[in-house]
Amino acid sequence: YPSLADKTTGSENYGGPILTASGLLFIGATLYDKKIRAFDSADGKLLWQATLPYAGNATPVTYTARGRQYVLIQADNARDKPAPQGAAYVAFALSGR
């Protein structure tokens, strides 16, 4: 339920996390808050978050193009039937750490 969503780690999750070689853990556990988050895998600290156009109920993927690393997630509201319906792929460029 939306009121039970943890402000730091998200809400119900229908996808898993990914871990980058540099120790960033990305997760889109966002049924109700529509956020994707990055955590430091060493200490669990929230490092970054962004709002998606729809819920990110998928496991993010990472890829490299032209020497730059990206994280991509598929977002839709298929599991939240009362919400506005739609779908999108959303990619974020990572900066060097």
Side-chain angles (χ1 to χ4, degrees):
Y1 299 151
S3 61
L4 300 178
D6 183 297
K7 299 287 190 253
T8 303
T9 59
S11 58
E12 288 181 43
N13 183 20
Y14 294 96
I18 61 165
L19 182 63
T20 66
S22 63
L24 293 174
L25 185 136
F26 287 90
I27 192 163
T30 60
L31 183 57
Y32 300 112
D33 67 5
K34 298 181 179 72
K35 298 213 185 218
I36 183 171
R37 294 175 173 84
F39 296 91
D40 185 318
S41 65
D43 61 14
K45 180 180 173 188
L46 175 66
L47 301 174
W48 170 86
Q49 64 183 359
T51 302
L52 300 168
Y54 305 102
N57 293 312
T59 302
V61 298
T62 186
Y63 63 93
T64 302
R66 296 188 186 120
R68 188 135 193 215
Q69 186 175 9
Y70 297 86
V71 169
L72 178 135
I73 190 165
Q74 186 273 339
D76 67 46
N77 281 340
R79 293 194 179 267
D80 187 4
K81 298 298 182 193
Q85 295 300 300
Y89 288 98
V90 183
F92 300 93
L94 304 184
S95 60
R97 262 179 63 143

